[in-house]
Amino acid sequence: MKTYVISIDQSTTSTKVFLMDTKGNIIKETAKKHKQIYPENGWVEHDAMEIYQNMMDCLHQILHTINQEDEVLGICLTNQRETTVIWDMDSGLPLYHAIVWQCRRTIPICESLKAYETIVEEKTGLKIDPYFSATKLKWLLNHVDTPVEKIMAGTMDSWLLYKLCGKHVCDHTNASRTLLYHLKDKKWDDELLKIFDIPKCILPEIVYSDGNFGSVEIDGRVIPILSVIGDSQSALYAHQAFKLGDVKVTMGTGSSVMMNLGKQLPEHHGGVVGALAYHTTKKDAYAGEAIINASADTLNWLRDDLGLYEKDQMLNDISMNAHGVYLVPAFVGLGIPYWMSRAKACISGISRNTTKTDIVVAGMQSIAYQIYDAICALEENADISATRISADGGASKNPALMQFLADICDKDIITYKQSAFSAFGVYLLGLQKLGYACDDLQKIDQIYHPKMDKETRMRYIEGWKQAVDVVVYDADKRGAL
């Protein structure tokens, strides 16, 4: 008889399910992409039932690969954060498509709540911004006819747990991304609920990330849910970033750059938002988080929409010289440190000699520049230097990009052999809940040391700042019209 743990990573573009042993090895994996729905410019939706069905399809596929006598110790779930689902209590069906974290439709709602910016940030650590869940939920409630007493709502973890186990719960890290959660008191806050006009009765119960989520019956097995945590926090856990000043960089559709602050609540300046690094039955910590709206998604745009290159492998050995071209990927506004919802993307520095490759390289470089801005903001916010920086996500497998990141940040950047970081972090949480030791399961792959001379580095950074200034000026001008 063999023993396994299943880890689910429900992300922005797909649902991935991993069958793992208790030694950190991925035995089998499967994935299904879901449709990206764009009803209007700047609006992004997902079909919550499609995501649930994809997850169940993947679970069935995984379970059919093992013997009936093999033991599945439990399921671990990590998910895209902030994305908001609303469903009918009786039918268990969504009342509307899920509104995705990228969606900007609630800009007018956010602008109408500017008078509450200070109190909201003091309580939540977050900005009043369409990125977070509260204004998405407010919009949804305004666009469905179902009586409030028949409505359930939550982030993606809450929706999937309800469908799996019949329990209306969520974990603390996901709750902390809603603008309705008091970061210090660690609970739903009545004043915040009043500000956003959200009835408390539709929200899930908040539990520890390794708390009691219930069990699911599938293919003749009753399997407990061991752990649940938001994807960025799960990646931080996988990085074992448990010391003050440890920084992890997740390079996904967007980027989340997190610095462990221990017991220190984040300050409210520099565009940094406060976060729970983790909150389990045994330990907790706060983090400063810098949010980048468009990271590897910029490369998807260059490849899939503009057709400037065909395969990601083509970029691994590319020369990181954009010949003065800069791409500021404000496709859904600018995040850290500007938080400008109305900002628009821009390519600058183009000449008659500019090539497709220059634009692709500028897109790659934009990932590094934004991470540099994020780390600077985190260090200034916490008044501490980043002690250790590690990166994960698909883009972290690109040697050219990672070397450029080390050069621009002028710091060592660590990458790991493990690739499925979000799935791996929540898996570690689940193993620890079961009493397994997990300290030696993560293996370093590469350490990138900075090689660029100071003069060249500063010239690149200054060019980037000038390109961003153009975008900021344009957004300010249009906002004043």
Side-chain angles (χ1 to χ4, degrees), residues 132-423:
F132 304 107
S133 305
T135 58
K136 302 180 195 299
L137 184 50
K138 182 177 177 67
W139 190 95
L140 286 165
L141 290 173
N142 290 338
H143 288 80
V144 298
D145 297 326
T146 306
V148 166
E149 60 269 18
K150 296 291 186 181
I151 290 175
M152 288 182 166
T155 43
M156 191 58 71
D157 62 318
S158 182
W159 160 249
L160 294 176
L161 288 167
Y162 182 78
K163 297 300 287 183
L164 285 170
C165 310
K167 295 185 69 172
H168 192 204
V169 294
C170 71
D171 95 296
H172 281 271
T173 64
N174 278 290
S176 73
R177 310 300 295 179
T178 62
L179 286 172
L180 303 172
Y181 176 93
H182 197 296
L183 195 59
K184 183 178 180 181
D185 294 346
K186 297 184 176 66
K187 64 180 183 179
W188 300 127
D189 183 88
D190 291 337
E191 185 175 11
L192 294 171
L193 292 167
K194 184 176 180 180
I195 289 170
F196 291 100
D197 193 23
I198 305 296
K200 193 173 185 177
C201 62
I202 71 173
L203 297 177
E205 176 190 355
I206 307 170
V207 300
Y208 294 112
S209 294
D210 57 352
N212 179 16
F213 296 100
S215 299
V216 56
E217 185 173 350
I218 179 171
D219 292 347
R221 300 173 183 267
V222 177
I223 307 173
I225 307 297
L226 296 176
S227 52
V228 177
I229 190 170
D231 56 5
S232 190
Q233 279 90 344
S234 186
L236 180 133
Y237 210 88
H239 283 259
Q240 304 285 276
F242 298 142
K243 295 180 181 178
L244 183 68
D246 282 356
V247 172
K248 74 90 196 176
V249 179
T250 296
M251 304 164 82
T253 303
S255 278
S256 165
V257 185
M258 272 190 176
M259 175 183 280
N260 191 318
L261 300 180
K263 300 295 183 181
Q264 172 187 331
L265 278 167
E267 297 293 331
H268 304 139
H269 60 77
V272 172
V273 299
L276 277 176
Y278 38 84
H279 191 41
T280 73
T281 53
K282 295 182 179 179
K283 59 184 176 181
D284 65 327
Y286 290 107
E289 182 173 15
I291 294 168
I292 298 167
N293 291 338
S295 185
D297 193 42
T298 304
L299 302 182
N300 296 338
W301 176 68
L302 293 169
R303 182 193 62 219
D304 300 336
D305 295 274
L306 299 191
L308 297 188
Y309 72 99
E310 293 181 2
K311 296 181 179 180
D312 290 340
Q313 290 86 344
M314 297 170 62
L315 307 182
N316 287 346
D317 300 316
I318 200 167
S319 172
M320 291 296 285
N321 185 349
H323 297 100
V325 177
Y326 288 87
L327 194 165
V328 181
F331 301 113
V332 287
L334 280 174
I336 188 78
Y338 307 98
W339 287 98
M340 299 187 75
S341 298
R342 297 188 182 276
K344 299 292 184 183
C346 176
I347 301 175
S348 61
I350 294 176
S351 72
R352 183 62 184 82
N353 294 324
T354 297
T355 66
K356 291 192 297 184
T357 300
D358 292 335
I359 296 173
V360 171
V361 171
M364 294 175 67
Q365 290 180 342
S366 73
I367 298 172
Y369 290 133
Q370 291 179 102
I371 292 169
Y372 165 78
D373 285 343
I375 292 173
C376 289
L378 287 166
E379 290 181 327
E380 181 180 354
N381 179 268
D383 196 25
I384 57 175
S385 295
T387 54
R388 177 177 174 273
I389 302 173
S390 50
D392 71 273
S396 71
K397 299 302 180 183
N398 184 300
L401 174 57
M402 297 312 296
Q403 184 58 57
F404 188 77
L405 178 61
D407 289 340
I408 291 299
C409 293
D410 197 30
K411 295 178 184 289
D412 289 349
I413 306 293
I414 302 168
T415 62
Y416 293 94
K417 293 181 179 179
Q418 175 61 253
S419 56
F421 263 74
S422 292

